[in-house]
Amino acid sequence: MENPKGAEEKILLAHGSGGQTSHHLVNGLFLRHFANAWLDQLDDAAVLPLPAVGAAGRLAFTTDSYVVQPLFFPGGDIGKLAVCGTVNDLSMMGARPLYLSAGFIIEEGFLLSDLERIVRSMAGTAQATGVHIVTGDTKVVERGKADGVFINTAGLGEIPPGIHLSGSAVRPGDVLILSGSIGDHGMAVMSQREGLRFASALESDCAPLNGLVAAMLEASPDIHCLRDPTRGGLATTLNEIAGSSKVGLEIWEDEIPVRSEVRGACELLGLDPLYVANEGKLVAAVPPEQAGAVLSAMHRHEHGREARIVGQATTDHPGRLVLKTTLGTRRIVNMLTGEQLPRIC
Amino acid sequence: MENPKGAEEKILLAHGSGGQTSHHLVNGLFLRHFANAWLDQLDDAAVLPLPAVGAAGRLAFTTDSYVVQPLFFPGGDIGKLAVCGTVNDLSMMGARPLYLSAGFIIEEGFLLSDLERIVRSMAGTAQATGVHIVTGDTKVVERGKADGVFINTAGLGEIPPGIHLSGSAVRPGDVLILSGSIGDHGMAVMSQREGLRFASALESDCAPLNGLVAAMLEASPDIHCLRDPTRGGLATTLNEIAGSSKVGLEIWEDEIPVRSEVRGACELLGLDPLYVANEGKLVAAVPPEQAGAVLSAMHRHEHGREARIVGQATTDHPGRLVLKTTLGTRRIVNMLTGEQLPRIC
């Protein structure tokens, strides 16, 4: 994407005009990487078939904007995050992700080569995940009125019959299964931002979880709740579930995997891994008699190899999350208050 | 939204943390104004029924980000625009708009009272239009890293059987019908931005067009193409259609309504109304024998009262838009080049 004079091409306000320069960007970049029969029409909206959803079918629909800083970090970038994050939100409702939209807000002067790197990352992640980016939009704002690029994705998926997952469906006795270590994404981004040298081993866990979820639901369609603990971390997500389901939740500190380099970075920055964002992990609430089958299915999947039971739902302290510490004491863990990690996703 | 000390409440980074402060914003503002059974679940994705789309059904899916500046302008604001713009994109495919997502990117320090004004405007417009805002997301970035607020909406609609609208479906002989005067939105925003005093009569045409489209399709389900000429104006939209359908398009300057105050502001700023954005107008390509029925239906609708035939598709100059001027001469009108009106939507 370098021009003949050697200076790198930059995004201009005209790239957001809707006119000829916009068309060049759409045709030369977005269509080239995202190409599919629906997007290629370039109509005002994509016209989509719904393969399996019948008259009684249900759709899952979600959206997230991504403002992560820096845009590129160990283990991922804003493009991969924008696809995985929305795919994962659909997956947490048990939906098979089908279609994504992509809305770009770009700061004037942004390097076209960086935009292409991001778009290529989105396209590769979408392809690996089996979703199609079928509609989009590009806006450009003046230099200093944004921060490089912001990306919004909205996602559509279809929910198979018999699947009814919800944050309000957890019952006392349900077992809490966590798919792997916590805090990897947040600390990878933070270490990059703060320039922590020792933290070279930190890497974001950013990954699409639709395959793992499909395997889990095949093992047990009766899973009560799935959530990906992103902003606010595992503690905030479990507080939300406890509140919505009106049950108590207890988690066991000894059982919650935290990589040693994540723990070290957290200690240095004064953060609690329970509140740090993840982008490739999920927590499931499963009827106890099915925990074994679900765990086995998870262990066979690349994103669930370290899955383990980390707690349980109880009739005690409804609406509250309690941590049983390594020392054997119990303490209430609240939802995140304030903001400890701005622009982590 | 004033606090007891009289200082106005502002958006903090913590409002985008995903934790307790985010929850207060979601519950106290978004849920209060957007309330519906789907959004109220606060799950990772909204789970939606599809009332009429059967196994052969088709969905329309679209997205737009809104970065208009100023946020409030005569005739509308960024919230009304964010609902109308996406509703209109769905409508242009013949879809009945059903559901919207809303993603907010807010600059730290933004006034909560302004956010509430915008949210209230979105809620009112959605209600008047019959769509539901069923899922959303809020991110906050540091002061100076955005410009007040950016809003993304994605939209879902269902396309009734028998409707096949497309930018590539226009045939020679088709009549071009414009629903009303052009340039109103762009010049209302520009005059506000430039502080043009004489321009007090300018008002955006920002409006939802789904009702008008429904009336038109009832009069003639065989309409070939509908488009709303937003960014880049009527000239850019018709160039896109000419290119996609591989037909020539001719429009007649005498027949294209431009309000005198819009014409005056355009002359002052050196702009051509053909390139100025509209947010409540559409252009239709209609088989000639059905033009009468479509026009009559439009004239009975509040957003189509001034509808008229402004041109025709031809076998001459395929892919090109030609303007027959008031003087009787003909000239090629190209797509917008460069950017004349940044951040108009």
Side-chain angles (χ1 to χ4, degrees), chain A residues 199-217:
Chain A
S200 58
L202 290 170
E203 190 166 298
S204 168
D205 58 350
C206 184
L209 296 174
N210 54 321
L212 176 64
V213 168
M216 293 169 69
L217 288 173

Side-chain angles (χ1 to χ4, degrees), chain B residues 253-275:
Chain B
E253 191 171 26
D254 275 349
E255 298 300 324
I256 298 171
V258 182
R259 290 192 205 290
S260 61
E261 55 270 27
V262 168
R263 193 178 297 282
C266 277
E267 278 169 13
L268 191 82
L269 297 172
L271 300 172
D272 182 340
L274 284 173
Y275 292 103

Side-chain angles (χ1 to χ4, degrees), chain A residues 16 20 23 43-44 46 48 59-62 64-65 137-139 142 152 166-167 227 231 240 336-337 343, chain B residues 16 20 23 43-44 46 48 59-62 64-65 137-139 142 152 166-167 227 231 240 336-337 343:
Chain A
Q20 221 162 67
H23 279 252
D43 273 319
D44 280 346
L48 305 168
L59 272 185
F61 182 33
T62 190
D64 260 322
S65 299
D137 176 56
T138 306
K139 293 292 189 309
E142 306 90 331
N152 175 285
S166 169
R227 280 289 170 95
R231 274 186 295 180
E240 289 171 355
L336 176 67
T337 55
R343 300 183 62 187
Chain B
Q20 221 163 67
H23 279 252
D43 273 320
D44 279 346
L48 305 167
L59 273 186
F61 182 33
T62 191
D64 259 320
S65 298
D137 176 57
T138 305
K139 294 292 188 312
E142 306 89 333
N152 176 284
S166 170
R227 281 288 171 95
R231 273 187 296 179
E240 289 171 354
L336 176 67
T337 54
R343 300 183 63 186

Side-chain angles (χ1 to χ4, degrees), chain A residues 285-315:
Chain A
V286 182
E289 66 278 10
Q290 300 182 19
V294 172
L295 266 176
S296 300
M298 292 177 80
H299 289 154
R300 285 193 296 270
H301 194 280
E302 60 169 327
H303 298 310
R305 277 198 206 104
E306 297 175 38
R308 56 203 297 175
I309 296 174
V310 298
Q312 194 154 23
T314 71
T315 50

Side-chain angles (χ1 to χ4, degrees), chain A residues 202-239:
Chain A
L202 290 170
E203 190 166 298
S204 168
D205 58 350
C206 184
L209 296 174
N210 54 321
L212 176 64
V213 168
M216 293 169 69
L217 288 173
E218 203 182 307
S220 165
D222 297 330
I223 294 172
H224 288 157
C225 173
L226 293 174
R227 280 289 170 95
D228 56 333
T230 57
R231 274 186 295 180
L234 183 64
T236 299
T237 295
L238 291 178
N239 263 285

Side-chain angles (χ1 to χ4, degrees), chain A residues 13-14 16-21 23 42-50 53-54 57-65 67 89 92-93 99-103 105 134-142 144-147 150 152 154 156 159 166-167 227-228 231-232 236 240 335-339 342-343 345, chain B residues 13-14 16-21 23 42-50 53-54 57-65 67 89 92-93 99-103 105 134-142 144-147 150 152 154 156 159 166-167 227-228 231-232 236 240 335-339 342-343 345:
Chain A
L13 283 174
S17 66
Q20 221 162 67
T21 322
H23 279 252
L42 287 187
D43 273 319
D44 280 346
V47 177
L48 305 168
L50 278 174
V53 172
R58 291 165 304 149
L59 272 185
F61 182 33
T62 190
T63 191
D64 260 322
S65 299
V67 299
D89 278 346
M92 295 308 122
M93 300 311 293
Y99 307 113
L100 296 186
S101 65
I105 298 174
V134 296
T135 186
D137 176 56
T138 306
K139 293 292 189 309
V140 180
V141 299
E142 306 90 331
K145 298 297 185 186
D147 195 11
F150 301 141
N152 175 285
L156 268 185
I159 304 178
S166 169
R227 280 289 170 95
D228 56 333
R231 274 186 295 180
T236 299
E240 289 171 355
M335 197 173 275
L336 176 67
T337 55
E339 168 60 299
R343 300 183 62 187
C345 61
Chain B
L13 283 174
S17 65
Q20 221 163 67
T21 322
H23 279 252
L42 287 187
D43 273 320
D44 279 346
V47 177
L48 305 167
L50 278 177
V53 172
R58 291 166 304 150
L59 273 186
F61 182 33
T62 191
T63 191
D64 259 320
S65 298
V67 300
D89 278 346
M92 295 309 122
M93 301 310 293
Y99 307 113
L100 296 185
S101 66
I105 298 174
V134 296
T135 187
D137 176 57
T138 305
K139 294 292 188 312
V140 179
V141 298
E142 306 89 333
K145 300 296 186 187
D147 195 12
F150 301 140
N152 176 284
L156 268 185
I159 304 178
S166 170
R227 281 288 171 95
D228 56 335
R231 273 187 296 179
T236 299
E240 289 171 354
M335 199 172 272
L336 176 67
T337 54
E339 168 60 300
R343 300 183 63 186
C345 61

Side-chain angles (χ1 to χ4, degrees), chain A residues 29-40 123 132-133:
Chain A
L29 183 62
F30 298 121
L31 280 190
R32 190 154 56 85
H33 289 288
F34 296 156
N36 58 64
W38 305 290
L39 183 65
D40 294 352
H132 300 282
I133 297 169

